[in-house]
């Protein structure tokens, strides 16, 4: 579709800088954005200029085969898990009516505020041999003292990751279901399809862009995760990356491994785009108001399913965190105010920046795109697949390089050493967030853009609206749920982000995630509950706010 | 709107990091709650401000390297001899000639070339269940590989640098082949998959999942403080041989320090009698300065013969140790 639609808006000289067509404006904007992601990625890919055979042959002959198996299990399991939770729950809360639906509607998004590494340490702390659950079982059932079941295994990791990551699928699927309204579903029903058939054959395919966008985010995060798998001591591909770097101090091999990860994700995304490009979905913009009223056992089952997921993914871990936090309340001091302010302001800045960029990319690609724009989009949305600290080191290396060259030049010209200007500032950190989370914002923005029928734009144009006016008065209002979702996702993701924040934060800019790191890395999980609860609280506000606004 | 935001960001956030004369900048892999009280005291006593940033050793080292001669950092502070060795090896640390440091820090706990100095000593030793193990059953790290401990041993992951250093010193003593046999023996004796931290490892011993484990003493101290009746005790292994494996947390002055004198002063102060009690005590570690008394709880664990091997060796052989543990299937 790129190209074919681009002429529809047409050149509109009155609204643009003289001598530039809108196509070129949008394309160059997209390229520029992609470049800012490409630079740190380039540092990673550039690692292939030399290969340290020793690290590779060692990894290949010892741990790599097992890591690949583990990673495959993890990805498969998380894909299945997040789909099985996210899609049905989104359908139930957006299209049906059952007891508790109003609360579950937003409550089911709350687990998103919980970082994976936090749920992981709560889960292992509570469920492992020495935790309260197994201890209680042994006592109550009179089991032998050595009786146990293993939770630090593949299944345990998949469960934790699924509970943390299903909200991506849930949120984006929900936006899609809400956006499509009930008209298509009702048409299908009136043509004789049963409720399940109508769901599978009409509603589900129409929501596919959103579901896939959510799923790819969940899977990329699972692939790039290090914090949660480290709690389980479950070795995935990122383990090899970190081992190369922190163990062998061989950043080069680490970057090479990371770029393999990147390639795999790129291929998956290309395949998905190809597949998706064959289908186009738009809705009539009319949102049905009546919901499908579930009755009797159905209603009860829907309610139980929703509450169970909520309890496991949020209520239980939040309760446990609360208990631990209460015990270490002495740690609470005025510095938490600083931590809160830093956490929230970084999240907001990165959120705004990234959503604007995602809109530019998605709009450029959809209406003014050519091959290079499509390529720019792919590059721009790759950062999420990289482990956070690898991307962060890419940003750090490129910025310090630029800084040093600039300072060299100025020193040569004026004899004054200005020092490192960019790399010690919030800008460095924002660049890393931007590069990492552009994909997160792009998904919801693009999938809501996809559902806006070209006829609406044509109508606006035929009524004499210029290009910017069409964007401002037609697209932005219609995209608002998508833009808000994107902003929320990035805001919360940035607040939870740990490795890039650690590496790139300016002096004094400690966040709650930094505090959690300092305690968990010392094995003080229970004391880490206090900053984790604080993070949860600041994370919850935007989640609840947004859901309420987007829920009608 | 976009331009407005961009403009505001550019103006307000581009506050360059500048070094003032009475300020030391520290990159620290030692956690904030363990260093901040010391830095505050140092500032009060000397008027020199300390600014710091904490992260893992790997990223901090990378940052130092990338920043090159314009780094704002005056001091790199990290835990584990392996990390210190790598920092020195990659050339980001300057040799410091200080009579004070030489007097306060024993020779085996600092870099022979003076590029880093241990500031606290940590012992990695054996912890056992007082309910299921008699101390007489225990002798050495190596013995934990014997079949007597089948299904009774718990270990932290080999990804933790403390275990890498322990195995590295074993390589230095026994050579690769024998060390690999020992590590394979450990793996064969494991009662549960390796844990992600020492605390969880000890909790597994206390809960009865296994009987012995290898941990750093200060983690034991924390558990003991929380629960004085915990059914665990420390055992000092290898007392007839080379002694207990020790490691350090330490620091060095960076090669491109803007305030090398203030940085050296900070290190000297941290190694002094005035600071050592707190520096080690806050985390229940052992002071490196022999004139300084141990924390009472730490002292209650008794004296032991410590391995006199220079901790530098652990750094030198760290990569070999990781490869060996990977081969032995120690996750």
């Amino acid at each position: 579709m790129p190209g074919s639609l681009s002429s529809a808006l047409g050149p509109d000289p009155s609204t643009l800088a003289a001598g530039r067509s809108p196509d070129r404006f949008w394309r160059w904007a997209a390229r520029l954005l992609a470049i800012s992601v490409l630079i740190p990625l380039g540092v990673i890919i550039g690692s292939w200029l030399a290969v340290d055979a020793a690290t590779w042959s060692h990894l290949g002959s010892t741990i790599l085969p097992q890591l690949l198996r583990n990673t495959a299990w993890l990805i498969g399991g998380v894909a299945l898990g997040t789909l099985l939770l996210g899609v049905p729950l989104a359908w139930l809360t957006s299209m049906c009516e059952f007891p508790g639906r109003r609360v579950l509607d937003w409550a089911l998004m709350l687990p998103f505020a919980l970082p994976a590494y936090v749920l992981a340490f709560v889960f292992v702390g509570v469920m492992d041999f020495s935790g309260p659950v197994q201890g209680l079982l042994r006592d109550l059932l009179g089991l032998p003292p050595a009786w146990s079941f293993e939770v630090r295994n593949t299944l345990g990791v998949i469960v934790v990751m699924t509970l943390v990551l299903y909200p991506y699928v849930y949120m984006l699927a929900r936006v899609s279901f809400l956006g499509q309204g009930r008209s298509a579903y009702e048409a299908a029903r009136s043509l004789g399809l049963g409720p399940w058939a109508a769901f599978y054959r009409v509603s589900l395919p129409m929501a596919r862009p959103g579901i896939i966008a959510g799923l790819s985010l969940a899977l990329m995060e699972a692939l790039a995760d290090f914090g949660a798998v480290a709690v389980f001591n479950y070795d995935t591909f990122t383990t090899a990356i970190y081992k190369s770097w922190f163990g062998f101090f061989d950043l080069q091999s680490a970057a090479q491994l990371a770029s393999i990860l990147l390639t795999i994700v790129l291929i998956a995304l290309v395949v998905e785009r190809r597949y998706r490009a064959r289908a186009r979905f738009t809705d009539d913009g009319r949102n049905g108001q009546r919901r499908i009223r579930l009755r009797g056992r159905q209603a009860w089952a829907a309610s139980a399913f929703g509450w169970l997921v909520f309890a496991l993914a949020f209520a239980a871990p939040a309760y446990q965190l609360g208990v631990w936090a209460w015990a270490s309340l002495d740690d609470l001091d005025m510095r938490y105010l600083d931590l809160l302010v830093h956490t929230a302001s970084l999240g907001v800045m990165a959120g705004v920046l990234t959503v604007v960029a995602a809109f530019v990319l998605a709009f450029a690609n959809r209406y003014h795109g050519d091959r290079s724009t499509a390529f720019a989009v792919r590059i721009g949305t790759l950062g999420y697949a990289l482990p956070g600290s690898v991307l962060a080191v890419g940003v750090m290396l490129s910025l310090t390089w630029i800084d040093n060259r600039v300072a060299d030049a100025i020193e040569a010209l004026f004899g004054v050493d200005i020092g490192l200007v960019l790399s010690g500032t919030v800008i460095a950190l924002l660049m890393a967030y931007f590069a990492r989370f552009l994909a997160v914002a792009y998904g919801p923005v693009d999938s809501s853009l996809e559902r806006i029928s070209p006829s609406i734009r044509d109508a606006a144009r035929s009524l004499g609206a210029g290009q910017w006016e069409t964007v401002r008065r037609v697209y932005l209002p219609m995209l608002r749920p998508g833009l808000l979702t994107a902003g929320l996702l990035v805001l919360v993701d940035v607040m939870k982000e740990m490795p890039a924040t650690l590496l790139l934060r300016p002096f004094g800019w400690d966040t709650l995630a930094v505090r959690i790191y300092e305690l968990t890395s010392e094995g003080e999980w229970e004391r880490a509950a206090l900053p984790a609860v604080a993070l949860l609280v600041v994370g919850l506000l935007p989640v609840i706010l947004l859901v309420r606004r987007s829920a009608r | 709107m976009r331009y407005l935001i961009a403009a505001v960001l550019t103006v307000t956030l581009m506050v360059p990091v500048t070094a003032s004369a009475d300020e030391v900048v520290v990159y620290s892999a030692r956690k904030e709650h363990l260093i901040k009280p010391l830095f505050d005291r140092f500032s009060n006593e000397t008027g020199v401000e300390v600014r710091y940033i904490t992260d893992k050793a790997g990223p901090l080292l990378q940052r130092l390297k990338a920043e090159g001669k314009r780094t704002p950092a005056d001091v790199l502070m990290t835990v584990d001899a392996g990390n210190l060795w790598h920092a020195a090896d990659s050339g980001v640390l300057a040799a410091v000639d200080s009579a004070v440091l030489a007097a306060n820090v024993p020779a085996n706990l600092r870099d022979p070339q003076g590029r880093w100095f241990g500031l606290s000593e940590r012992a990695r030793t054996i912890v056992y269940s007082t309910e299921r193990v008699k101390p007489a059953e225990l002798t050495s790290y190596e013995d934990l590989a014997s079949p007597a401990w089948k299904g009774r041993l718990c270990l932290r992951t080999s990804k933790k640098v403390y275990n890498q250093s322990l195995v590295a010193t074993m390589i230095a003593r026994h050579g690769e082949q024998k060390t690999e046999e020992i590590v394979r023996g450990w793996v064969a004796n494991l009662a549960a998959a390796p844990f992600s931290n020492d605390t969880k490892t000890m909790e597994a011993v206390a809960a009865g999942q296994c009987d012995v484990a290898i941990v750093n003493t200060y983690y034991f101290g924390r558990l003991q403080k929380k629960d004085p009746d915990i059914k665990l005790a420390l055992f000092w292994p290898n007392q007839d041989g080379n002694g207990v494996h020790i490691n350090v947390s330490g620091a060095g002055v960076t090669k491109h320090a803007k305030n090398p004198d203030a940085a050296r002063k900070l290190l000297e102060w941290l190694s002094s009698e005035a600071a050592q009690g707190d520096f080690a005590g806050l985390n229940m570690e052992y002071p490196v300065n022999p004139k300084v008394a141990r924390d009472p709880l730490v002292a209650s664990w008794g004296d032991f013969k410590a391995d006199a091997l220079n901790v530098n060796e652990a750094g030198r052989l760290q990569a070999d140790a990781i490869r060996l543990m990977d081969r032995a299937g120690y996750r």
Side-chain angles (χ1 to χ4, degrees):
Chain A
M1 127 242 35
S4 63
L5 288 174
S6 59
S7 55
L9 269 166
D12 195 344
S14 63
T15 56
L16 283 164
R20 276 203 270 160
S21 76
D23 278 6
R24 282 185 57 190
F25 170 81
W26 286 101
R27 277 177 205 164
W28 277 106
R31 279 171 208 161
L32 213 64
L33 289 171
I35 284 172
S36 60
V37 178
L38 191 60
I39 291 172
L41 292 187
V43 173
I44 307 300
I45 295 160
S47 63
W48 284 100
L49 292 175
V51 176
D52 182 348
T55 305
W56 276 95
S57 71
H58 166 71
L59 292 175
S61 65
T62 52
I63 54 174
L64 212 50
Q66 181 63 43
L67 300 190
L68 292 175
R69 267 197 301 277
N70 283 353
T71 309
W73 272 108
L74 178 68
I75 293 306
V78 171
L80 193 68
T82 50
L83 286 178
L84 284 181
L85 295 189
V87 177
L89 287 173
W91 169 259
L92 288 170
T93 59
S94 60
M95 304 296 271
C96 304
E97 187 60 68
F98 56 90
R101 199 272 309 163
R102 271 167 197 288
V103 180
L104 283 172
D105 203 15
W106 54 269
L108 283 168
M109 292 206 199
L110 299 188
F112 182 59
L114 206 62
Y117 50 83
V118 170
L119 186 66
F121 79 67
V122 173
F123 178 85
V124 172
V126 171
M127 297 297 293
D128 206 4
F129 184 96
S130 55
V133 170
Q134 295 206 25
L136 201 68
L137 282 176
R138 282 191 292 267
D139 288 351
L140 285 179
L141 306 176
L143 295 160
W147 177 87
S148 73
F149 56 89
E150 187 56 69
V151 291
R152 290 181 298 125
N153 55 15
T154 309
L155 186 64
V157 178
I158 290 174
V159 166
V160 163
M161 289 283 207
T162 297
L163 291 177
V164 176
L165 297 176
Y166 88 83
Y168 282 112
V169 178
Y170 173 76
M171 267 186 261
L172 298 191
R174 185 173 162 281
V175 170
S176 301
F177 285 137
L178 284 174
Q180 65 185 237
R182 284 195 56 208
S183 39
Y185 174 83
E186 277 171 354
R189 290 302 306 274
S190 72
L191 291 171
L193 287 181
W196 286 106
F199 171 70
Y200 275 117
R201 290 175 57 186
V202 178
S203 302
L204 196 60
M206 281 179 72
R208 223 189 73 200
I211 293 171
I212 297 284
L215 184 65
S216 14
L217 290 178
L219 294 187
M220 283 200 261
E221 189 161 327
L223 262 183
D225 173 83
F226 184 68
V229 295
V231 169
F232 283 85
N233 195 30
Y234 186 75
D235 295 348
T236 64
F237 201 73
T238 50
T239 312
I241 296 175
Y242 281 75
K243 181 164 259 177
S244 305
W245 185 5
F246 299 155
F248 298 125
F249 284 83
D250 180 359
L251 181 61
Q252 193 154 10
S253 300
Q256 287 162 359
L257 286 161
S259 62
I260 292 180
L261 200 62
L262 211 60
T263 314
I264 296 169
V265 173
L266 185 63
I267 291 168
L269 287 178
V270 169
V271 169
E272 191 272 320
R273 293 269 144 158
R274 280 273 154 78
Y275 186 46
R276 196 208 293 188
R278 287 197 261 124
R280 290 271 303 142
F281 308 108
T282 54
D283 66 68
D284 55 6
R286 201 160 52 86
N287 289 327
Q289 294 297 319
R290 274 186 312 116
R291 291 167 176 274
I292 306 163
R293 189 165 289 278
L294 300 180
R295 292 180 197 288
R297 212 178 297 169
Q298 276 185 340
W300 186 85
S303 195
F305 179 41
W307 286 115
L308 181 70
V309 172
F310 175 72
L312 291 178
F314 188 80
Y319 170 77
Q320 182 60 62
L321 283 174
V323 171
W324 283 339
W326 185 253
S328 54
L329 210 57
D330 292 346
D331 287 350
L332 192 66
D333 54 24
M334 282 311 287
R335 296 197 32 250
Y336 268 83
L337 200 63
D338 281 344
L339 298 180
L340 274 173
V341 169
H342 293 152
T343 306
S345 50
L346 284 176
V348 170
M349 284 190 281
V352 171
L353 195 71
T354 313
V355 168
V356 170
F359 174 73
V360 171
L361 268 189
F363 198 81
N365 187 37
R366 207 157 274 284
Y367 299 120
H368 305 279
D370 53 6
R371 280 187 164 277
S372 76
T373 324
F375 187 68
V377 166
R378 258 171 224 150
I379 296 291
T381 53
L382 270 181
Y384 200 55
L386 275 183
S389 56
V390 176
L391 181 69
V393 91
V395 171
M396 190 265 291
L397 290 176
S398 43
L399 280 184
T400 45
W401 188 87
I402 293 168
D403 262 354
N404 269 318
R405 295 298 83 76
V406 170
D408 283 346
I410 291 180
E411 197 175 9
L413 286 174
F414 305 104
V416 189
D417 189 351
I418 57 164
L420 305 172
V421 175
L422 284 172
S423 43
T425 65
V426 173
I427 290 175
L429 195 48
L430 287 176
M431 249 190 89
Y433 291 149
F434 174 76
R436 179 149 168 71
F437 295 120
L438 190 53
V440 176
Y442 186 81
V445 172
D446 188 53
S447 64
S448 30
L449 202 56
E450 178 156 26
R451 286 184 293 100
I452 296 180
S453 159
S455 59
I456 294 176
R457 184 195 54 226
D458 296 344
R461 301 280 296 141
S462 70
L463 292 170
Q467 150 151 294
W468 292 117
E469 197 180 357
T470 314
V471 168
R472 190 166 55 79
R473 293 182 55 193
V474 177
Y475 278 90
L476 289 182
M478 289 187 72
L479 285 175
R480 221 174 71 173
L483 292 176
L484 270 171
T485 307
L488 161 93
L489 291 172
V490 176
L491 170 66
V492 179
D493 262 335
V494 165
M495 294 200 295
K496 295 188 292 185
E497 206 284 337
M498 189 182 276
T501 316
L502 276 171
L503 181 62
L504 297 170
R505 73 197 192 279
F507 291 100
W509 274 76
D510 283 6
T511 66
L512 290 164
V514 170
R515 191 89 195 113
I516 297 175
Y517 156 77
E518 297 204 311
L519 292 166
T520 50
S521 66
E522 286 292 306
E524 303 210 57
W525 290 358
E526 290 160 29
R527 276 179 77 191
L530 185 65
V533 166
L535 184 58
L536 204 55
V537 172
V538 269
L540 285 184
L541 290 175
V543 175
I544 294 173
L545 224 110
L546 177 91
V547 189
R548 302 203 81 123
R549 288 187 71 166
S550 72
R552 289 193 301 260
Chain B
M1 187 61 187
R2 188 161 77 247
Y3 302 109
L4 184 72
I5 291 165
V8 170
L9 282 177
T10 321
V11 174
T12 57
L13 301 175
M14 280 184 54
V15 189
V17 181
T18 48
S20 69
D22 41 5
E23 180 181 85
V24 183
V25 176
V26 181
Y27 284 2
S28 173
R30 195 172 166 89
K31 304 301 158 348
E32 180 184 47
H33 54 282
L34 302 179
I35 51 172
K36 187 172 187 300
L38 270 302
F39 290 166
D40 289 347
R41 266 185 59 198
F42 179 72
S43 299
N44 277 339
E45 289 177 23
T46 62
V48 177
E49 287 297 317
V50 182
R51 284 204 296 169
Y52 57 89
I53 200 136
T54 57
D55 196 353
K56 295 191 183 81
L60 286 178
L61 183 54
Q62 211 62 48
R63 183 165 167 177
L64 263 180
K65 277 201 237 173
E67 288 169 341
K69 65 171 183 171
R70 293 194 176 85
T71 182
D74 300 303
V75 170
L76 176 70
M77 179 177 277
T78 177
V79 292
D80 195 275
N83 291 329
L84 289 162
W85 182 87
H86 272 286
D89 188 51
S90 57
V92 297
L93 298 180
V96 171
D97 189 15
S98 158
V100 179
L101 283 166
N104 287 346
V105 184
N108 67 318
L109 303 180
R110 54 182 149 93
D111 177 41
Q113 298 175 45
R115 291 167 300 181
W116 55 262
F117 299 87
L119 293 173
S120 65
E121 185 181 343
R122 343 171 102 194
R124 192 154 187 81
T125 190
I126 295 177
V127 66
Y128 64 93
S129 156
T130 51
E131 293 175 312
R132 294 181 302 282
V133 177
K134 289 189 204 67
E137 293 177 70
L138 293 158
T139 53
S140 63
Y141 304 107
E142 291 81 356
D143 178 61
L144 293 180
S146 78
W149 297 103
K150 183 137 194 83
R152 300 172 70 190
L153 176 67
C154 275
L155 290 175
R156 182 185 189 158
T157 171
S158 69
K159 293 182 228 16
K160 186 63 197 183
V161 67
Y162 305 152
N163 285 333
Q164 297 166 1
S165 288
L166 171 64
V167 171
T169 54
M170 289 168 71
I171 294 177
R173 298 285 189 200
H174 306 307
E176 290 231 4
Q177 201 182 349
K178 185 167 176 223
T179 307
E180 186 166 337
E181 280 166 31
I182 295 165
V183 174
R184 281 185 191 277
W186 286 351
V187 173
N189 285 345
L190 287 181
F195 293 82
S196 64
N197 63 52
D198 279 12
T199 307
K200 282 285 137 198
T201 314
M202 275 183 288
E203 282 172 3
V205 179
Q209 193 168 19
C210 38
D211 297 342
V212 285
I214 299 175
V215 297
N216 281 7
T217 54
Y218 50 87
Y219 293 112
F220 173 72
R222 282 182 211 160
L223 278 192
Q224 212 182 18
K225 252 189 192 160
K226 230 186 285 174
D227 176 12
D229 300 324
I230 193 160
K231 304 240 179 319
L232 296 177
L234 294 178
F235 175 81
W236 304 118
N238 299 55
Q239 294 301 290
D240 299 332
N242 296 319
V244 174
H245 170 68
I246 51 164
N247 207 325
V248 290
S249 80
V253 176
T254 62
K255 187 179 239 164
H256 300 291
K258 303 292 170 285
N259 282 325
D261 290 338
R264 180 176 46 82
K265 242 180 251 162
L266 175 63
L267 296 196
E268 288 174 351
W269 184 81
L270 287 172
S271 73
S272 71
E273 288 171 62
Q276 274 284 293
D278 273 359
F279 191 87
L282 276 173
N283 198 30
M284 287 175 280
E285 295 172 50
Y286 292 88
V288 288
N289 188 328
K291 279 171 279 184
V292 175
R294 297 167 180 179
D295 175 274
L297 184 72
V298 174
S300 76
W301 302 329
D303 285 322
F304 58 88
K305 175 177 152 192
D307 194 337
L309 188 75
N310 191 304
V311 287
N312 214 21
E313 282 296 284
R316 196 177 58 82
L317 294 166
Q318 193 190 36
D320 292 332
I322 299 172
R323 279 190 284 268
L324 187 152
M325 291 190 283
D326 280 345
R327 284 198 302 274
Y330 176 10
R331 290 199 294 123

